[in-house]
Amino acid sequence: MQLFNTIGTVLAAKITSYKPETAIDFMNKKILILDDDPDILEILSLLLTDNGYEVRTLSCGETVFDDIKDFEPDLVLMDVILAGLDGRSICKEIKENHLTCFLPVILISGTHDLAESLHLPGAPNDFVAKPFDIDHLLARIAKQLAA
């Protein structure tokens, strides 16, 4: 736990000083983050809000469609492994629903490599492996929001 606290402190310092070299104005863009790890939610929320995004976090996927309807995000960033649920299944439901199929979804995972399955029906728009590089994650998010 001490190692995570140290990494979190270093990461927080890097996040607050991070300014993307090729910044695109994504102010007012909303990102819904779904992860069952509160530390990941906190880090991602801090990173994304510091980069101008409006963020809502969820620790479980049971209400994801209600939250999408209420929050109207421009992108969903979601872990693959969730307590009692599979992020890939939630992603497939989002992509197969006519009301949400347009919504970009980026899945993140430390245990699954989904890069090969990005072209399949119901697949996410992108995939980022954990542990992720901050610049890489922000670039993937920016790419999806610009599409």
Side-chain angles (χ1 to χ4, degrees):
M1 190 62 168
Q2 179 62 31
L3 176 62
F4 187 79
N5 289 337
T6 302
I7 291 170
T9 302
V10 171
L11 182 58
K14 183 174 180 179
I15 289 170
T16 56
S17 65
Y18 176 80
K19 298 295 175 220
E21 295 170 12
T22 57
I24 299 172
D25 185 16
F26 289 117
M27 296 299 274
N28 301 320
K29 293 291 185 174
K30 298 177 183 180
I31 299 178
L32 179 64
I33 307 170
L34 177 55
D35 199 306
D36 58 358
D37 183 333
D39 294 325
I40 296 292
L41 285 176
E42 183 177 350
I43 289 168
L44 287 173
S45 181
L46 178 63
L47 170 67
L48 295 174
T49 55
D50 282 353
N51 279 276
Y53 298 105
E54 186 177 341
V55 173
R56 179 178 288 183
T57 60
L58 293 175
S59 59
C60 66
E62 284 87 11
T63 64
V64 70
F65 281 96
D66 292 333
D67 285 282
I68 288 171
K69 183 179 178 183
D70 180 54
F71 185 57
E72 298 180 353
D74 298 293
L75 182 136
V76 176
L77 184 62
M78 179 173 26
D79 194 8
V80 171
I81 304 290
L82 301 165
L85 294 172
D86 186 330
R88 294 169 294 191
S89 297
I90 296 171
C91 177
K92 187 173 180 172
E93 287 182 45
I94 290 170
K95 292 301 182 179
E96 291 179 348
N97 184 313
H98 73 282
L99 297 174
T100 57
C101 61
F102 63 90
L103 186 60
V105 176
I106 299 176
L107 288 182
I108 54 176
S109 178
T111 58
H112 295 79
D113 184 359
L114 302 178
E116 295 294 320
S117 65
L118 291 176
H119 64 281
L120 299 175
N125 298 78
D126 210 339
F127 167 74
V128 176
K130 289 182 189 176
F132 48 81
D133 175 76
I134 292 171
D135 295 334
H136 178 72
L137 177 66
L138 290 172
R140 294 291 181 113
I141 289 170
K143 178 182 173 185
Q144 291 304 319
L145 290 173

